[in-house]
Amino acid sequence: MRTLILAAVLLFSATLTAQEAVPISAEQRERVIAAVEAFLYGASVNDVQAHDKFWAPELTYTSSSGTRFGKEQLMAGMTDAVRIADEQVSAWYTAEDIELKSFGDAVIVNFTLVATSTTDGSRETFLNTGVLVERRDGWQAVNWNATRTAATNR
């Protein structure tokens, strides 16, 4: 009996060990980056469907203003959104310095979000981190953090 209990404890504790990042395949890297870039294009043109596809139902979003909310609240803020024509976009959102860490079915993405003004070319940057999971319709963010980049003294 003691042996059975010890075996059960060892088996259970082995499943609780932290999973290490695994090398990301070129194909997985390409699909994750494509999902992020498609979302950023959609965000630039105010595309509600791009948001709906990218954000998972169980999303937890922590904004750069220090508030936390889920997909329902995020999407509620877009009820009156109208898609903007490319030539009328006021700022294009792009990703720089993309870093991916794969944990099997989940990928952590870290990148610098750049909002580039179409009127004067000025740039505003944010450090973004997301946890994406692969679903039937592609990669979706289940957790997202956006942090305004610290001002630098130049």
Side-chain angles (χ1 to χ4, degrees):
M1 181 69 173
R2 281 182 146 176
T3 305
L4 183 60
I5 292 172
L6 180 59
V9 168
L10 288 175
L11 182 62
F12 180 71
S13 64
T15 63
L16 295 179
T17 59
Q19 183 178 358
E20 292 184 20
V22 296
I24 190 164
S25 71
E27 180 185 348
Q28 187 182 44
R29 178 178 180 72
E30 186 178 306
R31 289 192 332 263
V32 170
I33 290 174
V36 170
E37 289 176 342
F39 165 70
L40 293 175
Y41 172 81
S44 297
V45 298
N46 211 29
D47 184 351
V48 175
Q49 285 78 26
H51 282 274
D52 191 45
K53 180 179 180 181
F54 188 72
W55 304 120
E58 64 273 31
L59 172 70
T60 300
Y61 188 105
T62 304
S63 73
S64 63
S65 63
T67 58
R68 184 169 285 156
F69 46 86
K71 180 176 182 174
E72 185 176 328
Q73 185 178 352
L74 187 149
M75 295 304 293
M78 302 190 74
T79 55
D80 296 329
V82 176
R83 190 188 186 290
I84 302 167
D86 286 9
E87 57 276 0
Q88 295 178 335
V89 169
S90 60
W92 285 105
Y93 300 110
T94 56
E96 294 180 357
D97 305 321
I98 300 171
E99 173 191 81
L100 302 177
K101 296 176 185 172
S102 177
F103 291 88
D105 293 337
V107 170
I108 296 173
V109 58
N110 296 300
F111 67 96
T112 301
L113 172 74
V114 180
T116 305
S117 169
T118 58
T119 55
D120 64 6
S122 63
R123 294 167 36 113
E124 187 174 13
T125 58
F126 299 83
L127 300 177
N128 281 9
T129 298
V131 178
L132 281 67
V133 294
E134 191 169 23
R135 302 257 166 90
R136 180 181 56 231
D137 295 331
W139 289 90
Q140 287 190 308
V142 294
N143 194 284
W144 201 263
N145 293 281
T147 304
R148 188 174 301 279
T149 305
T152 58
N153 294 330
R154 294 184 188 197

